[in-house]
Amino acid sequence: MGDSRRAVMGRPREFDTDQALESAMRVFWARGYEAASLAELTAAMGITKTSMYAAFGNKEELFRKALQRYGAGPAAYAMRALGEPTARAVAVAFLRGAVRTTTPPGGPTGCLTVQGALASSDDGRPVHDLLVDWRNDAGVRLEERFRRAVAEGDLPPGADPRRLARFIMTMGFGVAVQAANGLGPAELDEIVDTALLAWPS
């Protein structure tokens, strides 16, 4: 019996966990955390609820893993932007990245971190707080990068790094909302062009 049990427990999963997580991420991205039902998630993932719990944990844990995937994949533009040589280039890369990520061909529009917790019941509060922290962290990183730009003389001495970071974050998330409303890349790029007219010189 021991050998039989080990054989069952050691049997590889009959689904691709990476692809299943990708599918879950796209459901959360399109529907938000609370609106995405377990039935909808498991149908998209092509697995049973039992398999989902075994591989990913409960719904909240699945969302956390999906958010990590989103941050390392579609939303990786935010971290890449910080490596640009000038503060203006950082802002451009961040906002253009937001446009591309929120309007993927054939994919969900908008931003997972914005749409993920549009509703916030008591059950969804931990996810809401997680996303607030995620967005705030991005803002802090932008502010730190702009502080460095001031210190290096890339931004004028009177520039306010915190205000600039909040401006870029607000514009980035505004792009996401407009993308969810149906605006396409060309229209959103025009909005970015207008926003950049306010960049300090």
Side-chain angles (χ1 to χ4, degrees), residues 8 15 18 29 41 52 61 68 84 90 111 117 123 129 134-135 137 146 153 166 168 191 194:
V8 171
F15 64 92
D18 190 63
W29 188 349
L41 286 163
M52 190 206 81
E61 291 168 336
Q68 289 175 353
E84 292 291 333
V90 169
C111 174
D123 289 342
D129 293 344
W134 197 95
R135 294 191 298 264
D137 180 67
F146 294 154
R166 287 176 174 172
I168 294 302
I191 293 172
T194 303

Side-chain angles (χ1 to χ4, degrees), residues 24-171:
M25 180 193 74
R26 292 170 73 86
V27 171
F28 284 129
W29 188 349
R31 302 276 291 147
Y33 175 73
E34 291 190 8
S37 68
L38 284 178
E40 187 175 12
L41 286 163
T42 53
M45 297 164 78
I47 61 177
T48 64
K49 290 181 183 179
T50 301
S51 294
M52 190 206 81
Y53 286 126
F56 301 106
N58 62 23
K59 182 182 176 183
E60 181 182 329
E61 291 168 336
L62 175 63
F63 182 84
R64 289 176 181 272
K65 291 180 175 70
L67 180 61
Q68 289 175 353
R69 184 180 184 88
Y70 181 77
Y77 70 87
M79 288 300 296
R80 287 196 302 268
L82 298 175
E84 292 291 333
T86 67
R88 181 182 175 84
V90 169
V92 171
F94 187 95
L95 294 177
R96 300 290 187 212
V99 170
R100 301 296 168 259
T101 297
T102 59
T103 56
T109 57
C111 174
L112 172 61
T113 69
V114 174
Q115 292 163 215
L118 291 178
S120 184
S121 67
D122 289 342
D123 289 342
R125 192 71 197 181
V127 166
H128 173 272
D129 293 344
L130 170 69
L131 293 175
V132 169
D133 289 343
W134 197 95
R135 294 191 298 264
N136 286 341
D137 180 67
V140 168
R141 290 172 186 267
L142 271 178
E143 181 182 343
E144 290 172 348
R145 177 63 182 83
F146 294 154
R147 287 193 186 283
R148 195 181 91 201
V150 172
E152 293 173 349
D154 175 42
L155 281 171
D160 186 329
R162 178 170 295 178
R163 184 177 297 177
L164 285 175
R166 287 176 174 172
F167 172 67
I168 294 302
M169 291 296 296
T170 299
M171 290 307 306

